[in-house]
Amino acid sequence: MLSNIPSHYYVIGSTIMAILMGSFVMVIRMRASKKPTNEKKIIIPPIAMSSGALMFLFEQFRVPPMQILEASAVGMVFSTILIATSKFEVKGQDIYLKRSKAFVFILIGLLVFRVVAKMILSSSIDVGELAGMFWILAFAMLVPWRIAMLVQFIKVKKTIPLKNL
């Protein structure tokens, strides 16, 4: 049934979904900066995203080893940008993720990069394989970023004096 659908429709559909999800992430990140953060809020996104690895159970999403390395390397390079712009601040006894003016532009830039790369690569790489590559890229970007955030959060948390009981 799905094999009868031309691949360019998959590219268009996944591009629309990427734009919607990217917009959703931006809204969530803006709201999150208004509330205190904690270790759980930092750790959950990569754990939740890891369920996406189940796509690799299906043959059409499997990625050759060289492309795994390429997608991982690009993701790790992009994570450095996110790490550099993610800072925490203490307000009273709470720790907040400091709102970065650059963050929205970085997310938009990453989204544009993803859409353009998908349009270019979809002519030479199978759509399912491309989906797997972009998942690897996103995961390789998210994990180092969140680990760096957690390390930074723990350092900041140690600086907060205990409440007087």
Side-chain angles (χ1 to χ4, degrees):
M1 178 177 108
L2 294 176
S3 61
N4 295 336
I5 300 172
S7 66
H8 65 275
Y9 288 122
Y10 290 124
V11 172
I12 293 168
S14 64
T15 301
I16 291 169
M17 285 303 296
I19 291 168
L20 291 174
M21 289 183 72
S23 302
F24 180 68
V25 166
M26 282 187 260
V27 169
I28 286 178
R29 295 287 297 142
M30 291 303 160
R31 287 185 181 172
S33 66
K34 295 178 183 176
K35 296 178 184 173
T37 195
N38 57 41
E39 290 93 339
K40 190 168 102 174
K41 289 180 181 178
I42 294 170
I43 294 170
I44 287 177
I47 293 171
M49 188 180 171
S50 66
S51 64
L54 292 173
M55 78 167 71
F56 298 112
L57 293 175
F58 301 96
E59 185 68 36
Q60 69 259 28
F61 297 109
R62 294 196 185 139
V63 180
M66 192 59 187
Q67 290 175 340
I68 292 171
L69 290 174
E70 291 167 355
S72 297
V74 172
M76 288 183 209
V77 167
F78 287 160
S79 75
T80 61
I81 299 166
L82 294 171
I83 291 167
T85 59
S86 298
K87 304 291 179 218
F88 292 99
E89 63 184 344
V90 177
K91 294 180 183 175
Q93 292 289 311
D94 296 317
I95 301 172
Y96 289 79
L97 187 59
K98 201 184 265 187
R99 207 180 238 190
S100 168
K101 293 175 182 144
F103 189 77
V104 172
F105 296 110
I106 291 167
L107 281 183
I108 291 169
L110 291 171
L111 187 60
V112 168
F113 170 82
R114 183 179 195 271
V115 169
V116 170
K118 183 184 283 186
M119 294 299 173
I120 294 168
L121 295 173
S122 66
S123 62
S124 60
I125 299 174
D126 182 63
V127 176
E129 194 176 311
L130 197 55
M133 286 178 65
F134 277 108
W135 183 90
I136 292 166
L137 185 151
F139 196 68
M141 181 173 62
L142 184 67
V143 170
W145 175 39
R146 291 302 176 133
I147 289 170
M149 283 177 69
L150 183 61
V151 168
Q152 185 182 1
F153 178 87
I154 291 168
K155 284 180 184 175
V156 170
K157 188 175 180 180
K158 287 179 181 177
T159 67
I160 299 174
L162 296 174
K163 290 182 184 177
N164 294 337
L165 299 175

